[in-house]
Amino acid sequence: MSMPVHTPSQRPFTGMLLDRATIERKDPARIKQLLEDPGARTVLAGSDGVLISGGNAPSLLHTRLSPPSPHEAILLGLEDGAALFAVDLDSLPPSVRAELTNHGRVVSLRDAGAQLSHSEAGLAAYLAALLNWHRRHRFCANCGASTVIAEAGYSRRCPRCGTVHFPRTDPVVIMTVEHQGRLLLGRRAGWPPGRLSVLAGFVSPGESVEETVVREVQEESGIRARDPVFVTSQPWPFPASLMLGFHAQSDGGEPESQDGELEEVRWFSLEAVRDAIHGRNPELQLPPSVSIARFLIEQWVALREA
Ligand SMILES: [Zn+2]
């Protein structure tokens, strides 16, 4: 049985449809106008997940709750001319929060990725990523003063020293590495036996992403990767990563955990990986389909069977 080769645009947590209003958000008078528009809606997320509606086809719960004030408004964007704002559930009094959770439920972003439609899961990732950043960056990294929201949520400004802070996105490379039709998979410390995935790691300062691929594979397995080719990317706001998916070749060798991050690392045959995708390999449990890891593994198999 051949599997579909997914296109990168179908990646979970992508496909958000809002107009980000990059120009309009710089105009405070326009933001005030958008806030006063009866068509404006607000979606919410907290540190433990996003607020979604009930029912069989859930979406983010669109409420008429107003942001605390125009200068604290976080504008996600525009949909048919109407504004969609974001409010942090963690910032609300318990009574307001309880009222909201009467109308919907808070689910983890991972669960939202599995339950919501493609574009709605993309919106959930955007919402969570932006609020994660505001929640964790209230103080100026330069002078320590409290910062204030600017550009309707796309930056924060320090009133004391004037530094402007922009939302963080932390690049992470994740890669299939192959040698003669076999795939390199590892098991991180703490994962149950049988649960393996492709290797991954944060990009270091002063490093290209291609260099990170080679370094991470060497550090985690002792295997020398070469010729990394970019495949696709996926936002991964847990809390602020951007996953950059690569495929790389190697000259083989016996993989061995180098730095203690992996408890197990070895080569798997095409057959073993394919059986695991179809749930027919009790010795290999692959990561869930919401992750780019699963996509890279499935695509590796699909391209070899096409
Ligand atoms: Zn400052």
Side-chain angles (χ1 to χ4, degrees):
M1 188 174 81
S2 70
M3 279 171 296
V5 179
H6 303 282
T7 60
S9 65
Q10 292 172 312
R11 299 303 317 128
F13 299 134
T14 66
M16 193 277 297
L17 297 173
L18 288 183
D19 167 1
R20 291 175 184 251
T22 311
I23 307 294
E24 286 177 279
R25 64 173 59 250
K26 295 180 196 294
D27 177 3
R30 177 65 179 142
I31 297 305
K32 188 164 179 291
Q33 197 179 41
L34 288 168
L35 276 170
E36 288 164 358
D37 175 3
R41 292 290 181 273
T42 294
V43 288
L44 299 101
S47 49
D48 50 359
V50 296
L51 182 65
I52 68 170
S53 65
N56 290 331
S59 63
L60 288 175
L61 190 71
H62 284 49
T63 74
R64 302 199 62 175
L65 183 85
S66 292
S69 67
H71 64 270
E72 288 173 85
I74 296 174
L75 175 67
L76 293 172
L78 302 173
E79 188 174 31
D80 299 328
L84 190 64
F85 291 95
V87 165
D88 192 340
L89 276 170
D90 296 5
S91 71
L92 298 173
S95 59
V96 178
R97 192 183 156 110
E99 168 76 17
L100 286 164
T101 47
N102 272 342
H103 294 97
R105 58 202 164 91
V106 177
V107 298
S108 73
L109 185 58
R110 276 183 179 77
D111 287 345
Q115 293 176 29
L116 301 179
S117 71
H118 178 69
S119 62
E120 200 71 3
L123 178 58
Y126 170 38
L127 167 69
L130 197 54
L131 291 179
N132 284 345
W133 176 69
H134 283 288
R135 197 182 303 119
R136 290 159 172 254
H137 294 83
R138 292 188 191 138
F139 298 98
C140 178
N142 186 47
C143 78
S146 289
T147 54
V148 295
I149 290 173
E151 289 181 85
Y154 263 29
S155 61
R156 297 185 71 94
R157 191 175 50 76
C158 176
R160 187 198 282 167
C161 74
T163 302
V164 179
H165 301 274
F166 295 97
R168 282 189 66 108
T169 299
D170 301 332
V172 177
V173 296
I174 182 164
M175 50 272 163
T176 48
V177 179
E178 79 166 14
H179 176 62
Q180 294 180 344
R182 294 182 305 163
L183 183 65
L184 187 65
L185 297 175
R187 181 165 66 83
R188 291 200 172 271
W191 284 4
R195 170 83 151 79
L196 287 96
S197 186
V198 288
L199 310 189
F202 284 98
V203 177
S204 288
E207 190 174 56
S208 74
V209 287
E210 289 84 358
E211 288 173 322
T212 314
V213 169
V214 173
R215 177 181 57 76
E216 280 290 338
V217 173
Q218 170 74 39
E219 283 177 6
E220 295 197 342
S221 69
I223 295 297
R224 188 150 186 82
R226 57 176 167 77
D227 307 327
V229 175
F230 176 70
V231 178
T232 187
S233 63
Q234 179 179 358
W236 194 246
F238 302 99
S241 293
L242 173 66
M243 308 301 291
L244 303 163
F246 282 83
H247 176 62
Q249 298 291 332
S250 90
D251 294 326
E254 198 53 47
E256 201 175 327
S257 177
Q258 305 287 304
D259 59 1
E261 267 189 54
L262 299 180
E263 285 187 356
E264 181 184 354
V265 57
R266 59 192 176 101
W267 297 108
F268 284 82
S269 70
L270 179 63
E271 293 71 26
V273 177
R274 184 181 52 219
D275 285 351
I277 288 170
H278 295 297
R280 295 193 304 252
N281 185 347
E283 287 170 7
L284 176 57
Q285 270 92 53
L286 296 173
S289 58
V290 73
S291 66
I292 191 173
R294 178 65 176 239
F295 172 81
L296 293 171
I297 293 167
E298 290 195 3
Q299 193 179 60
W300 180 79
V301 170
L303 290 174
R304 268 136 209 89
E305 298 195 325

